[in-house]
Amino acid sequence: MEFKVVAEAFRKLEVTSERLELISILATLFSKADASNIHMLVYLLQGRVAAPYTGIEIGMGEKLVEEAIARAYGVDKGEVERMYKELGDLGLVAERLAGNKKQMTLFSEPLTLERVYNNFYKIATASGEGVVDKKIRLLADLLKDAEPLEARYIVRIPIGRLRLGIGDATILEALAVAKLGDRSYREDLERAYNYVSDLGYVAKLLYEKGLEGIRQVKPVLGIPIRPALAQRAASLEEIMQRMGGECAAEAKYDGFRLQIHKKGDQVWIFSRRMENMTGLFPDITKAVLEQIDANEVIFEGEAIAYNEETGEFYPFQVTIQRKRKYGIEKAAEEYPLKLFSFDIMYLEGEDLTPKPYTERRKILEGIIKKGDTIELSERIIARSVKELRDFFESCVERGLEGIMAKDLKAPYIAGARKWAWIKYKRVMKSQLSDTLDLVIVGYYKGRGQRAKLGIGGVLVAVYDPKNDVFKTVAKVGSGFTEEQFVQLKQLLDQITLPHKHPRVVAKIDADVWVEPKYVITVLADEITRSPNHTAGWDGERGLALRFPRAVSFVREDKGPEDATTEEELIQMYKQQKHVKVEEGEDSY
Ligand code: AMP
């Protein structure tokens, strides 16, 4: 497939602000691919060459890319830098230089999708001596033969500035249209994708084996399953009612969710976002080999730093320190982790996800040997609200977040937020019962004091998975330090757009629109009705946050599709009313 076709589609995607058009452009592009190259298209659209879990990233610094541009077009590096200052985008710099060059050379070999993908794959996996030069050479090699428009995108890919902002669900929908002729097949593709969180794998399977192949997908060792998610309830009474008078209740640990795969001596550890984190957890890897009595297994648990002396759990911030400051070995020694296992999805070739919770739990209990690191999550079977309440109180007393109620009969529902799991956390007075994770879709330049920073607040949105769009819910201007604002502006300025992104639904304007990419955690006092925001729109009004403030900087562990959903927001709105009526009755 010629890369020119891909570049032309990228150009169209870049200028559209309509979601349906986005799907149609993608579907047309996908229908030109076959089983040998569809995965390449799917990955490149997201600026990648492999699924995130592989850890294979193209990532090249701007300096190296400038060097490659200079080399490809035989110009001085200073000239590239000067043009970059003028145009503000290295992609446009390459486009212009390729245009100049084109007038001078008579012919060059047309680029193919395969060649572009393969060079980027080599760039992503290059290592050893002379690696920097090798990367520059591979990129310059592509640029030499690129048409101007192709050069624009070839440069934007390695510096992570493709800015297409196309989510997984949109790609799945376009694949359904392209290959099965109907967007409703997106559900089948989504189900498969929930088991093997690799878009390229799913796309290839679809092109090779059709709908039948897609419907038979099972978990695969080494490829993370998309984790099951929990709903939230306003009261323990509600939980009991929804569960039909009986449920399991587990301690809810405020740690790091880990999905662990084991095949013989090989262990993979994935984060909630399905990134491969094996290297961060040598202590857990060791414990898995010692304590897990199974050859092939996929199971899940929450890792949390634990004080052996006092028997207390450390707060989340301590648990994640090993991601940041500390040397891994040092952190492992100072703050040993415990892994509280709570589910199992696969054992010795068998997909356990369709089995009911009680059976999975029994199987999980059977494979954990006694040891210092891996334990089962603490749990009870509750048959009354009182039993739930006693357990909840004992958990909170010990510094835990709350409880997780689980439907005894439910299967493991990968990738979805269902009532099979319901979380219930401790609540602070005069605030909403929970924080919201919201996607930044634009920003405001700021007035007065903030004007000098160039940013005074951000427009944030919830996620609507059904339509795969983001709907605005608040402007957030407090909670960030000046320093954080400056940092935030730097991040956002790399992903600005000349118009609202096609996946954003908004009634109000931002000063600067950005690609929906970054998630922040926000706390608010209340959810109110508002004509300005589109989240929870009832035909007249939407929902907005009252006194929103950021309680986190950009969340590294959450992508835009991991944000709080519109449905959750509506539920929180309804639950808050409920709580108000009952105010005083509940002591927590
Ligand atoms: P939240 O992040 O507040 O939506 O709560 C859901 C998270 O709670 C899961 O993603 C897990 O990381 C965590 N968690 C802690 N304890 C448990 C448990 N016993 N069962 C399931 N999830 C748990």
Side-chain angles (χ1 to χ4, degrees):
M1 184 169 176
E2 284 195 10
F3 190 67
K4 199 192 289 179
V5 178
V6 182
E8 192 48 45
F10 279 11
R11 190 191 60 77
K12 286 193 193 142
L13 290 169
E14 206 185 335
V15 293
T16 184
S17 52
E18 294 296 324
R19 183 168 182 274
L20 284 180
E21 200 185 321
L22 187 89
I23 300 273
S24 135
I25 300 166
L26 280 178
T28 310
L29 177 65
F30 289 162
S31 63
K32 292 178 186 148
D34 58 37
S36 74
N37 58 18
I38 183 66
H39 64 292
M40 301 180 182
L41 260 188
V42 162
Y43 291 138
L44 282 185
L45 267 167
Q46 297 191 319
R48 331 186 46 91
V49 285
Y53 78 85
T54 59
I56 298 176
E57 303 284 342
I58 306 176
M60 257 173 108
E62 286 190 349
K63 287 284 161 247
L64 295 195
V65 173
E66 284 175 6
E67 181 85 43
I69 296 174
R71 227 186 264 187
Y73 302 118
V75 295
D76 197 65
K77 236 187 121 186
E79 174 63 7
V80 176
E81 275 166 22
R82 192 198 57 73
M83 287 176 73
Y84 183 21
K85 277 213 184 85
E86 180 198 333
L87 298 171
D89 173 357
L90 279 175
L92 297 180
V93 172
E95 184 171 0
R96 188 185 281 181
L97 287 169
N100 295 347
K101 183 187 162 235
K102 212 179 151 209
Q103 291 163 358
M104 292 186 290
T105 44
L106 282 179
F107 62 88
S108 59
E109 205 175 320
L111 282 180
T112 60
L113 167 65
E114 286 78 2
R115 185 168 151 210
V116 173
Y117 175 84
N118 287 333
N119 271 30
F120 277 129
Y121 196 90
K122 283 183 199 152
I123 288 175
T125 51
S127 64
E129 218 175 291
V131 58
V132 170
D133 194 62
K134 200 161 155 194
K135 289 185 182 194
I136 296 173
R137 217 168 349 106
L138 285 161
L139 184 60
D141 171 61
L142 292 178
L143 289 175
K144 260 186 229 147
D145 287 335
E147 298 272 333
L149 191 67
E150 293 173 328
R152 182 201 293 184
Y153 297 109
I154 285 173
V155 157
R156 282 184 187 168
I157 289 172
I159 50 177
R161 305 276 166 81
L162 207 49
R163 290 186 238 195
L164 299 176
I166 295 170
D168 298 347
T170 300
I171 289 187
L172 291 172
E173 192 167 325
L175 282 169
V177 174
K179 205 63 194 166
L180 304 168
D182 192 324
R183 56 194 278 197
S184 66
Y185 288 112
R186 175 181 134 186
E187 276 173 35
D188 291 278
L189 292 173
E190 249 165 16
R191 196 201 134 266
Y193 181 54
N194 284 337
Y195 282 115
V196 284
S197 56
D198 181 338
L199 278 183
Y201 181 102
V202 172
K204 208 172 167 62
L205 191 67
L206 172 68
Y207 276 54
E208 272 171 4
K209 305 237 168 89
L211 190 56
E212 271 319 292
I214 288 294
R215 287 188 171 155
Q216 281 164 15
V217 162
K218 299 256 154 69
V220 178
L221 283 168
I223 305 185
I225 297 172
R226 303 187 71 214
L229 303 171
Q231 290 280 15
R232 44 166 91 67
S235 66
L236 295 168
E237 285 77 6
E238 186 195 340
I239 293 182
M240 224 7 146
Q241 201 186 355
R242 287 196 183 266
M243 290 290 183
E246 187 185 40
C247 65
E250 297 186 11
K252 185 172 190 304
Y253 306 92
D254 189 13
F256 216 84
R257 184 173 189 168
L258 300 180
Q259 185 182 122
I260 298 175
H261 293 219
K262 173 182 184 292
K263 185 179 187 179
D265 290 342
Q266 193 175 3
V267 174
W268 298 262
I269 300 180
F270 299 106
S271 70
R272 186 184 175 289
R273 272 193 89 183
M274 295 158 284
E275 294 148 325
N276 190 335
M277 300 243 159
T278 317
L280 276 186
F281 298 102
D283 40 351
I284 305 263
T285 303
K286 187 161 160 272
V288 169
L289 293 172
E290 285 168 4
Q291 280 188 260
I292 297 299
D293 190 13
N295 191 39
E296 292 193 348
V297 61
I298 303 179
F299 72 106
E300 242 187 347
E302 190 90 354
I304 183 166
Y306 179 73
N307 187 333
E308 298 278 358
E309 264 126 60
T310 65
E312 272 171 341
F313 297 100
Y314 285 111
F316 180 66
Q317 287 75 357
V318 175
T319 304
I320 56 162
Q321 264 183 9
R322 74 168 61 188
K323 252 195 105 179
R324 308 244 160 82
K325 301 187 214 128
Y326 282 79
I328 294 168
E329 298 293 341
K330 189 157 167 256
E333 228 170 76
E334 218 169 306
Y335 298 106
L337 293 180
K338 279 223 184 280
L339 180 76
F340 291 96
S341 314
F342 54 75
D343 220 315
I344 181 164
M345 294 87 106
Y346 182 92
L347 183 66
E348 316 297 11
E350 193 187 354
D351 174 11
L352 300 182
T353 59
K355 290 196 184 294
Y357 166 84
T358 40
E359 260 186 65
R360 296 198 311 278
R361 175 81 186 190
K362 212 181 278 158
I363 296 171
L364 181 66
E365 284 170 7
I367 63 153
I368 299 178
K369 292 192 275 189
K370 272 213 163 343
D372 292 336
T373 307
I374 306 178
E375 290 184 21
L376 282 161
S377 63
E378 192 183 333
R379 72 129 193 201
I380 60 158
I381 303 287
R383 294 194 176 82
S384 69
V385 174
K386 178 168 185 314
E387 282 173 354
L388 265 187
R389 176 155 297 140
D390 289 347
F391 185 62
F392 172 74
E393 278 171 2
S394 85
C395 287
V396 170
E397 250 167 53
R398 283 173 296 144
L400 292 165
E401 254 196 316
I403 59 171
M404 194 66 116
K406 296 186 176 176
D407 182 340
L408 297 170
K409 294 189 242 23
Y412 185 91
I413 310 171
R417 195 177 294 283
K418 291 280 154 73
W419 291 103
W421 288 12
I422 308 177
K423 58 187 171 188
Y424 191 73
K425 297 201 232 177
R426 84 203 113 111
V427 186
M428 318 247 191
K429 279 235 165 71
S430 87
Q431 284 172 352
L432 283 179
S433 62
D434 208 344
T435 53
L436 296 100
D437 295 324
L438 303 171
V439 185
I440 301 177
V441 298
Y443 74 82
Y444 296 93
K445 290 190 173 147
R447 283 182 227 129
Q449 273 288 69
R450 300 267 176 78
K452 67 173 192 301
L453 301 177
I455 181 169
V458 288
L459 181 61
V460 290
V462 291
Y463 179 50
D464 163 9
K466 211 187 300 138
N467 298 303
D468 194 26
V469 295
F470 302 97
K471 298 179 172 172
T472 74
V473 68
K475 289 181 188 177
V476 181
S478 65
F480 295 119
T481 61
E482 277 206 2
E483 205 174 281
Q484 283 177 326
F485 261 128
V486 171
Q487 240 179 314
L488 191 60
K489 182 166 185 300
Q490 272 169 5
L491 283 176
L492 296 177
D493 280 344
Q494 293 176 6
I495 53 168
T496 59
L497 299 168
H499 51 73
K500 187 170 68 58
H501 192 276
R503 287 172 69 213
V504 172
V505 184
K507 286 187 82 70
I508 51 173
D509 271 329
D511 287 343
V512 182
W513 292 106
V514 298
E515 178 195 322
K517 178 170 180 178
Y518 295 120
V519 173
I520 55 171
T521 301
V522 174
L523 189 63
D525 280 2
E526 208 184 330
I527 301 171
T528 53
R529 283 266 163 218
S530 152
N532 295 323
H533 290 287
T534 50
W537 192 257
D538 66 358
E540 282 176 31
R541 287 173 307 169
L543 294 173
L545 301 184
R546 199 168 115 90
F547 297 134
R549 54 228 178 247
V551 291
S552 81
F553 192 60
V554 170
R555 295 273 308 247
E556 281 169 39
D557 60 330
K558 296 219 165 163
E561 288 85 13
D562 298 315
T564 300
T565 61
E566 181 181 34
E567 197 191 329
E568 283 181 273
L569 176 77
I570 295 172
Q571 238 162 44
M572 287 171 84
Y573 174 69
K574 288 187 186 151
Q575 285 170 2
Q576 119 195 318
K577 276 194 180 159
H578 185 76
V579 170
K580 267 195 192 151
V581 176
E582 284 189 6
E583 214 153 89
E585 280 179 27
D586 256 348
S587 52
Y588 25 84

